Amino acid sequence: MNLLLVDDEFHVRKKLMQKIDWKALGIDRLLEAGDGDQGYELAVNEPIDIIISDIRMPRMDGIEMAAKIRELYPDCVILFLSGYSDKEYLRSAISLHALQYIDKPVLPEQVISAVKEAVSYCNNLRNTSFAAKIKEVRLARLLCTPKPDAGQLSCLLEECSLSTLAFSDSRTILIQLLTGDGIPSGLLEKLGELLEHSGLHYLLGDHHDNLIVIHLLSDKEQMVSSLTSSFFKPLFQRVSYLFKNTSYFIAVGQLSENIQEVYQSYQSAVIGLQQNFFLGSNSVSFAGFPESPEYRPDENFRRKLLGSVKQNDPHTCFLLLESLYQSYQLHPAGLISVVRENYYGILSQLFQHCLSHRIAFPSASNQQLWDVISSAKTLRDLHIIAVNLYQSYFDFVKKNQEELSVSGKLRRLIEENYGNPALGLQFLSESLKLSQSYISQLFKQETGTTINQYIITYRIDMASSLLLKSDRKISDIADCCGFTDQNYFTKLFKKCTGMTPSEYRGYLP
């Protein structure tokens, strides 16, 4: 068995070549290359069973090289070495169905485990029934491409003992697993047994990491076009038993009258998966689902939602969130990305409210918030995320209000009303409905300073900031900081800072 190791980092190749006993793994010949171009040249002259390749390389990257080698050797197994920055890049390689992606920095133990699995796969290919199943999987995948290569299609049809007539009455079904763990081992085999037990003629394969594709075919005993919803309903109930605790979507595509229309059936099933997002996990959608207008909340909705937050009115807030959820359910149309963006907007405005009002509710970065939104697999998930976040906010506010000390409440009142000339003991006493002597004594005990001194210090601090950051008249600044007498303001300012307001404004620290 021949293995091709391709990486533009010399020390990575040498480390793997020296640290691993390739013979013990069943590798007869090990070839190495420094980039994709060189790797492809070696493959032209030597049959390749397994490829271990880096992604980003000069001249020809690993994805392009692997695709070209697959044209030479369709059964070769691909193992990609991928760094964190390659994750998005690997999406373009999804059609290659790499057996594994080995994270960098590469550990020999990881490579050994992956190669053992690859060798086992290659050995299984020598088994006639296993090889036949692999060819059926390839054909199932190929039919999901818009313009399949005619030669490749003809070859696979012949190897699978099928003619184009088998697709003169067919339908594509997609099953999307909502977990990120891929398709569990053995699931396709169990699904095939279930379909056979139901008397169905089919092609079955995996399409991407979490998508199963089934092409139902007609035969002399059963026409796909004759299968009604009363047939599919118990079938999908039995399918659900196979998935146990795994959430999924099932989408049934439109009928195809020839092999050229199979892709249209596949596409209609893909659109059905969009509808499943609105219907919820473990739902089934059928092509031809009645269209409804797209729903988008207007700015008035966001204003009402934010208003409920400002007024500390959780009842209204949750009624609004429920109405949003139900409106989307009644209009299962439009792009899922737009729905996510709308929920992102109503959550980010909550964080913005907390920042602007100096509420110490735990915040999230834009990326963190978007990651949470992107993790939602269904509309219901988005709704729960929004409800939980707003509930956490109201719980946080309620707890803070209950735990806030008297001195804390006094400080907040002072900071919110420092520009009011009437701010003083009487104002604070009436606001908290506590006696002046009580709040004076308690504030002194908890802060070590008097209320009047705290008011003066806070006003002078605010005035100092305005003097340096604005061009407003000193008299205006004195007035907005609660000083009705400019002379008194000047005298007090100098006492606190050692400078008059004019001198302070001209001071450059």
Side-chain angles (χ1 to χ4, degrees):
M1 199 171 294
N2 293 347
L3 185 147
L4 173 62
L5 175 61
V6 189
D7 197 305
D8 60 328
E9 296 183 64
F10 178 78
H11 71 280
V12 172
R13 299 200 313 273
K14 291 306 173 188
K15 175 184 175 182
L16 294 178
M17 292 175 71
Q18 295 170 3
K19 295 283 186 180
I20 296 175
D21 186 349
W22 297 98
K23 290 286 185 184
L25 294 175
I27 303 302
D28 302 310
R29 188 168 184 195
L30 179 65
L31 298 92
E32 64 166 315
D35 59 47
D37 221 17
Q38 186 181 2
Y40 179 68
E41 289 177 8
L42 288 171
V44 170
N45 298 309
E46 294 280 353
I48 302 298
D49 299 294
I50 302 170
I51 303 169
I52 300 179
S53 177
D54 191 14
I55 301 292
R56 301 175 187 268
M57 296 182 292
R59 297 206 293 173
M60 184 189 295
D61 63 52
I63 292 173
E64 183 182 355
M65 178 204 70
K68 293 182 71 172
I69 294 177
R70 265 277 175 82
E71 292 178 3
L72 298 173
Y73 313 108
D75 294 326
C76 73
V77 178
I78 301 170
L79 307 172
F80 278 126
L81 308 177
S82 63
Y84 178 79
S85 60
D86 296 324
K87 298 304 179 187
E88 288 297 317
Y89 192 44
L90 282 171
R91 290 185 179 181
S92 60
I94 206 160
S95 62
L96 293 174
H97 293 273
L99 187 66
Q100 282 198 36
Y101 299 104
I102 303 170
D103 291 329
K104 285 189 168 184
V106 180
L107 299 175
E109 309 87 74
Q110 291 178 300
V111 176
I112 290 171
S113 175
V115 171
K116 282 181 179 179
E117 186 177 349
V119 169
S120 174
Y121 178 88
C122 291
N123 287 332
N124 282 335
L125 283 176
R126 295 168 185 170
N127 179 296
T128 305
S129 61
F130 182 83
K133 286 291 182 185
I134 293 299
K135 288 179 173 60
E136 289 178 4
V137 168
R138 286 204 195 111
L139 178 57
R141 293 172 184 167
L142 186 63
L143 291 169
C144 295
T145 56
K147 293 182 179 179
D149 179 82
Q152 190 179 4
L153 179 60
S154 177
C155 181
L156 282 172
L157 284 170
E158 184 178 349
E159 290 176 338
C160 295
S161 302
L162 288 171
S163 72
T164 56
L165 293 176
F167 299 88
S168 59
D169 187 81
S170 63
R171 190 190 293 268
T172 299
I173 298 174
L174 297 179
I175 304 177
Q176 180 181 2
L177 305 185
L178 301 185
T179 61
D181 303 326
I183 300 171
S185 176
L187 181 60
L188 290 180
E189 289 77 7
K190 292 178 181 177
L191 185 56
E193 291 172 4
L194 190 154
L195 294 172
E196 287 178 11
H197 183 74
S198 301
L200 294 168
H201 188 39
Y202 64 92
L203 269 177
L204 173 66
D206 58 321
H207 193 56
H208 310 329
D209 290 339
N210 66 336
L211 195 63
I212 297 171
V213 57
I214 305 168
H215 300 294
L216 294 184
L217 310 177
S218 294
D219 56 21
K220 293 179 180 179
E221 296 180 3
Q222 191 171 62
M223 299 295 289
V224 172
S225 56
S226 67
L227 303 178
T228 63
S229 57
S230 60
F231 172 86
F232 283 114
K233 186 175 181 179
L235 172 65
F236 292 145
Q237 285 178 341
R238 292 193 294 273
V239 168
S240 68
Y241 297 145
L242 297 179
F243 295 103
K244 296 181 180 178
N245 298 322
T246 301
S247 297
Y248 60 87
F249 292 153
I250 297 178
V252 182
Q254 66 189 34
L255 279 167
S256 306
E257 295 184 357
N258 53 61
I259 197 167
Q260 288 76 26
E261 291 184 2
V262 173
Y263 179 69
Q264 280 71 42
S265 183
Y266 163 75
Q267 281 291 86
S268 66
V270 170
I271 294 171
L273 293 177
Q274 300 276 311
Q275 294 170 346
N276 286 101
F277 173 84
F278 296 93
L279 298 174
S281 60
N282 302 351
S283 59
V284 180
S285 65
F286 288 84
F289 190 91
E291 292 187 6
S292 62
E294 180 182 358
Y295 171 75
R296 290 198 184 194
D298 56 21
E299 284 302 317
N300 190 42
F301 171 83
R302 289 195 182 185
R303 282 195 293 270
K304 287 180 179 178
L305 189 64
L306 186 56
S308 69
V309 171
K310 290 180 177 179
Q311 295 165 21
N312 196 23
D313 183 3
H315 177 72
T316 299
C317 175
F318 296 128
L319 283 179
L320 287 167
L321 290 175
E322 182 65 26
S323 72
L324 177 68
Y325 172 59
Q326 290 181 2
S327 295
Y328 273 128
Q329 275 196 314
L330 293 171
H331 302 84
L335 296 175
I336 295 173
S337 59
V338 174
V339 179
R340 293 187 193 278
E341 288 168 4
N342 287 333
Y343 270 91
Y344 174 84
I346 67 173
L347 297 184
S348 60
Q349 78 172 7
L350 175 62
F351 288 125
Q352 187 58 45
H353 165 78
C354 293
L355 289 172
S356 61
H357 290 77
R358 292 187 288 182
I359 300 172
F361 182 64
S363 185
S365 68
N366 290 341
Q367 185 58 53
Q368 287 172 328
L369 182 56
W370 183 249
D371 287 345
V372 171
I373 294 294
S374 299
S375 69
K377 304 299 183 184
T378 67
L379 174 64
R380 180 69 180 170
D381 293 341
L382 282 177
H383 176 64
I384 291 172
I385 289 169
V387 168
N388 287 345
L389 183 61
Y390 275 86
Q391 183 65 64
S392 296
Y393 166 79
F394 286 117
D395 290 344
F396 175 84
V397 170
K398 182 179 180 181
K399 182 180 179 182
N400 272 22
Q401 287 175 339
E402 291 172 350
E403 294 181 352
L404 191 62
S405 65
V406 172
S407 64
K409 293 176 181 177
L410 287 167
R411 285 196 300 270
R412 180 175 294 178
L413 278 171
I414 291 168
E415 291 166 8
E416 291 175 350
N417 297 278
Y418 71 91
N420 183 355
L423 178 63
L425 273 175
Q426 183 176 347
F427 175 90
L428 297 171
S429 173
E430 291 174 354
S431 297
L432 295 180
K433 295 180 175 56
L434 297 170
S435 70
Q436 293 185 31
S437 59
Y438 176 74
I439 63 173
S440 296
Q441 182 181 0
L442 198 61
F443 192 86
K444 177 73 172 178
Q445 287 177 352
E446 293 186 0
T447 65
T449 187
T450 66
I451 290 176
N452 285 334
Q453 186 58 50
Y454 186 85
I455 292 172
I456 291 170
T457 301
Y458 191 81
R459 282 172 166 171
I460 294 298
D461 286 344
M462 297 305 295
S464 301
S465 177
L466 289 171
L467 284 167
L468 293 178
K469 295 180 179 179
S470 74
D471 296 327
R472 296 171 66 177
K473 293 179 180 180
I474 292 175
S475 59
D476 290 341
I477 291 175
D479 187 60
C480 79
C481 290
F483 297 101
T484 55
D485 185 336
Q486 186 179 341
N487 291 330
Y488 175 68
F489 168 63
T490 302
K491 181 180 178 181
L492 194 60
F493 192 91
K494 186 171 183 179
K495 181 180 178 181
C496 293
T497 66
M499 290 179 276
T500 66
S502 297
E503 290 170 342
Y504 188 86
R505 172 169 273 174
Y507 171 70
L508 294 175

